[in-house]
Amino acid sequence: MKLKRMLVATAVAVSVATPALAELVVPSLVYRTGAYGPNGIPYADGYADYFALLNERDGGIGGEMVNLIECETAYNTEKGVECFEATKDLGSLVYQPLSTGITYQLIPKATAADIPILSMGYGRTSAANGKVFSHIFNFPGNYWSAASAVINHILDMEGGDIKGKKVALVYHNSAYGKEPIRTLEELAKKHGFELSLLPVDHPGQEQKSQWLQIRREKPDYVTMWGWGVMNQVAIQEAANIRFPMENFIGVWWS
């Protein structure tokens, strides 16, 4: 309800300020280029098509046409901040950064500008505390709950006892990939399993050393916070060392 009131209030302010040219301004931070372009293009196209549908079929939203302003970030944090700075004063209603790194940087900026951020299943998990983070909405899940779900699944597979088991986290070496670490560390203390951390540098094509370490240390389970080409490379490397796929568990972006 708070988000709905915020969006409505912003839309009213924009329409009052510019009655002759009233429109709903929605910036679209996309990444059609760069290493993660194959992931970003379908979303960018679908997002643009949906607002085009609303404009053509319904005359916009509430009688106001939607002006979708696309800005290319290439999944780069600095470019994402530049996109925000270039569009924030255009009457922008809401931002979807589509990147945990960009989201971290935009939280204080968007809050100061009184513009809400939607970070659906990504971003800063602690921002779920609305008393502290008033302008960011991270639904329907977050990376802490994802880490808990992974361990709960392993507990189910092991009959409720994973003391002494080994769990490896293969993660994208970025703000996104690091989000579950503290939760997994706390769960390791609680349940008595051994956690190993294996970062993979952008964009994720080089993983030989990580999977050689997995072959040496023989973890019982591997969980992965991957993105883009990192995912397919990890699956191939896991197959190369004959790691049991039923024990290889990925977060939703993997």
Side-chain angles (χ1 to χ4, degrees), residues 38-120:
N39 299 86
I41 290 171
Y43 181 93
D45 287 345
Y47 199 59
D49 287 347
Y50 182 68
F51 282 110
L53 169 68
L54 293 179
N55 282 339
E56 294 175 13
R57 184 190 66 188
D58 304 334
I61 300 173
E64 305 293 346
M65 299 295 281
V66 178
N67 179 12
L68 191 71
I69 303 175
E70 190 167 294
C71 189
E72 175 65 42
T73 72
Y75 202 74
N76 177 277
T77 298
E78 290 184 5
K79 290 183 179 179
V81 173
E82 290 173 3
C83 284
F84 175 81
E85 295 294 345
T87 57
K88 68 178 182 179
D89 295 325
L90 301 178
S92 299
L93 288 173
V94 64
Y95 283 88
Q96 296 193 69
L98 300 184
S99 156
T100 294
I102 297 174
T103 301
Y104 263 82
Q105 294 300 313
L106 293 193
I107 289 173
K109 294 178 179 293
T111 301
D114 198 26
I115 303 173
I117 291 177
L118 305 183
S119 60
M120 302 170 294

Side-chain angles (χ1 to χ4, degrees), residues 24-249:
L24 305 179
V25 178
V26 179
S28 178
L29 275 58
V30 302
Y31 48 99
R32 297 180 179 277
T33 63
Y36 306 101
N39 299 86
I41 290 171
Y43 181 93
D45 287 345
Y47 199 59
D49 287 347
Y50 182 68
F51 282 110
L53 169 68
L54 293 179
N55 282 339
E56 294 175 13
R57 184 190 66 188
D58 304 334
I61 300 173
E64 305 293 346
M65 299 295 281
V66 178
N67 179 12
L68 191 71
I69 303 175
E70 190 167 294
C71 189
E72 175 65 42
T73 72
Y75 202 74
N76 177 277
T77 298
E78 290 184 5
K79 290 183 179 179
V81 173
E82 290 173 3
C83 284
F84 175 81
E85 295 294 345
T87 57
K88 68 178 182 179
D89 295 325
L90 301 178
S92 299
L93 288 173
V94 64
Y95 283 88
Q96 296 193 69
L98 300 184
S99 156
T100 294
I102 297 174
T103 301
Y104 263 82
Q105 294 300 313
L106 293 193
I107 289 173
K109 294 178 179 293
T111 301
D114 198 26
I115 303 173
I117 291 177
L118 305 183
S119 60
M120 302 170 294
Y122 64 89
R124 181 170 182 166
T125 299
S126 58
N129 185 344
K131 293 180 179 179
V132 178
F133 299 93
S134 59
H135 284 66
I136 182 164
F137 302 85
N138 54 355
F139 55 90
N142 57 57
Y143 295 136
W144 294 356
S145 60
S148 295
V150 168
I151 299 305
N152 285 337
H153 175 65
I154 295 174
L155 282 164
D156 288 343
M157 293 179 70
E158 295 291 339
D161 183 8
I162 55 175
K163 186 175 182 179
K165 295 292 183 180
K166 295 181 179 180
V167 178
L169 170 66
V170 177
Y171 65 95
H172 193 277
N173 195 13
S174 64
Y176 150 62
K178 296 173 183 177
E179 274 286 304
I181 291 176
R182 289 185 63 185
T183 300
L184 290 172
E185 288 174 340
E186 290 301 314
L187 291 172
K189 294 176 186 177
K190 178 180 179 180
H191 296 291
F193 64 86
E194 180 182 333
L195 176 67
S196 58
L197 304 175
L198 303 172
V200 175
D201 289 333
H202 160 85
Q205 291 173 308
E206 298 297 328
Q207 298 183 42
K208 289 289 184 184
S209 62
Q210 289 86 353
W211 288 94
L212 286 174
Q213 184 173 339
I214 288 171
R215 187 171 68 178
R216 285 196 308 270
E217 297 181 356
K218 295 181 172 57
D220 299 285
Y221 295 90
V222 172
T223 184
M224 184 171 73
W225 255 246
W227 186 233
V229 69
M230 175 180 168
N231 294 338
Q232 64 196 58
V233 172
I235 291 171
Q236 184 59 59
E237 293 292 349
N240 289 344
I241 67 168
R242 300 179 183 273
F243 188 83
M245 288 299 179
E246 64 272 17
N247 292 359
F248 187 15
I249 308 163

